[in-house]
Amino acid sequence: MKWEQIASHWAEYKLNARRRWSRLSPEYLDAIAGDRARLVARIAELYAIPAPQAEAELAAWLDALREVNPFS
């Protein structure tokens, strides 16, 4: 899935992100508003992992997501 789709439909995807990374607060997920770099940085910080590993986890999450169609 392309990040542009995630960013444009962040309200639908942020709950799924919280299920994947439970340490991400709802307030922080609202604040990042689909900004990939901020999400990667926060995952790396909260889980004490290097940024490349956080990026790899995010890529795996993206691969597992189904597309959300807000009009269906």
Side-chain angles (χ1 to χ4, degrees):
M1 175 168 293
K2 294 183 181 179
W3 187 258
E4 294 80 28
Q5 292 173 307
I6 302 290
S8 65
H9 299 291
W10 184 242
E12 289 86 11
Y13 287 106
K14 69 182 177 181
L15 297 175
N16 190 293
R18 178 135 165 76
R19 279 189 294 249
R20 172 63 185 88
W21 296 284
S22 61
R23 294 180 189 172
L24 291 171
S25 71
E27 296 79 20
Y28 188 79
L29 288 168
D30 287 340
I32 68 161
D35 184 325
R36 183 182 180 130
R38 288 179 69 189
L39 180 58
V40 168
R42 189 66 173 165
I43 291 168
E45 178 185 346
L46 288 174
Y47 290 89
I49 58 176
Q53 183 179 345
E55 183 66 46
E57 286 191 18
L58 184 60
W61 178 67
L62 290 174
D63 288 341
L65 285 176
R66 293 179 308 187
E67 292 187 28
V68 171
N69 182 351
F71 303 109
S72 57

